[in-house]
Amino acid sequence: MKNLMAGNWKMHKTIAEGVAFVNELKAQLQDRPERGVLLCVPSTMLHAVATAAKGSAIMVGSEDMYFEEKGAFTGEISPSMVKDTGATATLVGHSERRVIFGETDLVVNKKIKAALTHGLLPVLCIGESLEEREAGKLEAVLSTQIKGGLEGISAADASKIVIAYEPVWAIGTGKTASPQDADDAHAMARKLVANLYGQELADKMMILYGGSVKADNVDELMAMKNINGALVGGAALEVESFTRISNFTCSGKCSCSK
Ligand code: 13P
């Protein structure tokens, strides 16, 4: 898999709607094994959606999970519970988890470790707020989130992680980072990964862009060297737009074989 187009349904859809989406997407997706497709869905429908996706190229993941195995954690779901549904991945540290639910880099780190222990693909979400960007703190924020999120994780495990760069100011606002700004931030994140694990691992790491990705801007984003996929919110709720995004056309400007 050379790139990954991921959808994040957030707090949307019924079970029936989720299953219908997957059935439709299965019929529309191009058969290209180098392109991964992942749907991160509410825990209520994880099992139904994972069952519907079984045998297809579509991976299913949770939008979050707790790091503990079991116990008195009312309202939470464990990594084993996520696996039990048939899901194979999870988002970790989405900015909505960080901002609304106060999730820290330490918690994010524990969740990544728990996902890896259970063989789930963790998608580590990072990104700066507008205030931080305007104060020139982009690199400092990415560095704190990457170092904090990956603390104590071996290179072997780090090679099983996907990073999603989602500038908070671009999420749900219709304001996409320009392809060049996004690519610059991805290059920065890649350099920070290289500082921790070396250039070879960093070059192989998939870094997705998220924040108002739509059918009409995906191609120009995917043409950038450091962008290996997308994490899509609003435009992943409609099967037509998510299909178009997943079947993006690479301009061939880069040498990425996307
Ligand atoms: P939008 O695509 O709606 O901006 O959401 C992005 C996002 O938060 C995906 O995780």
Side-chain angles (χ1 to χ4, degrees):
M1 186 166 77
K2 291 207 171 105
N3 48 68
L4 179 62
M5 306 313 270
N8 172 12
W9 285 351
K10 308 193 179 185
M11 202 166 71
H12 294 286
K13 291 197 187 293
T14 62
I15 296 172
E17 287 166 350
V19 169
F21 184 110
V22 170
N23 288 332
E24 182 68 20
L25 182 62
K26 278 199 290 196
Q28 303 287 338
L29 266 186
Q30 291 169 356
D31 181 19
R32 298 186 62 163
E34 77 281 13
R35 294 186 173 192
V37 175
L38 168 66
L39 290 174
C40 295
V41 308
S43 42
T44 48
M45 66 190 76
L46 266 176
H47 182 247
V49 170
T51 303
K54 216 171 173 176
S56 78
I58 304 167
M59 293 181 283
V60 175
S62 56
E63 298 174 7
D64 182 38
M65 52 159 217
Y66 199 47
F67 52 80
E68 293 285 0
E69 186 48 41
K70 60 170 80 160
F73 304 104
T74 301
E76 295 292 336
I77 55 170
S78 74
S80 312
M81 289 171 177
V82 173
K83 273 212 95 168
D84 191 39
T85 66
T88 56
T90 186
L91 299 181
V92 181
H94 190 278
S95 65
E96 285 147 23
R97 300 295 320 165
R98 294 177 189 261
V99 174
I100 304 170
F101 301 100
E103 210 163 283
T104 62
D105 287 316
L106 179 63
V107 170
V108 168
N109 179 246
K110 288 183 179 181
K111 289 183 175 182
I112 290 179
K113 287 176 176 162
L116 290 165
T117 301
H118 289 82
L120 293 166
L121 168 74
V123 180
L124 165 60
C125 305
I126 58 171
E128 83 290 1
S129 65
L130 187 57
E131 213 176 21
E132 289 163 337
R133 174 169 275 259
E134 286 177 346
K137 292 186 185 155
L138 172 62
E139 185 157 12
V141 171
L142 297 188
S143 173
T144 303
Q145 292 177 338
I146 288 175
K147 279 193 198 148
L150 300 180
E151 174 74 40
I153 290 174
S154 68
D157 276 344
S159 67
K160 298 176 196 149
I161 294 172
V162 170
I163 290 182
Y165 167 68
E166 300 201 299
V168 178
W169 48 271
I171 294 178
T173 57
K175 277 190 214 164
T176 327
S178 71
Q180 192 57 57
D181 280 351
D183 196 62
D184 290 348
H186 281 224
M188 212 177 260
R190 208 177 288 289
K191 192 185 88 199
L192 292 162
V193 172
N195 293 343
L196 295 175
Y197 298 106
Q199 196 62 49
E200 196 184 334
L201 191 151
D203 285 343
K204 283 191 189 140
M205 185 166 272
M206 277 199 278
I207 306 182
L208 319 182
Y209 171 77
S212 298
V213 175
K214 308 267 182 261
D216 61 10
N217 61 19
V218 66
D219 294 347
E220 55 180 14
L221 287 162
M222 288 305 291
M224 305 309 288
K225 180 168 179 278
N226 283 291
I227 300 181
N228 313 112
L231 180 53
V232 187
L237 290 172
E238 299 298 331
V239 74
E240 197 185 337
S241 57
F242 189 66
T243 302
R244 170 63 185 86
I245 288 168
S246 302
N247 293 336
F248 70 92
T249 309
C250 183
S251 68
K253 270 192 275 175
C254 51
S255 54
C256 64
S257 350
K258 285 170 190 162

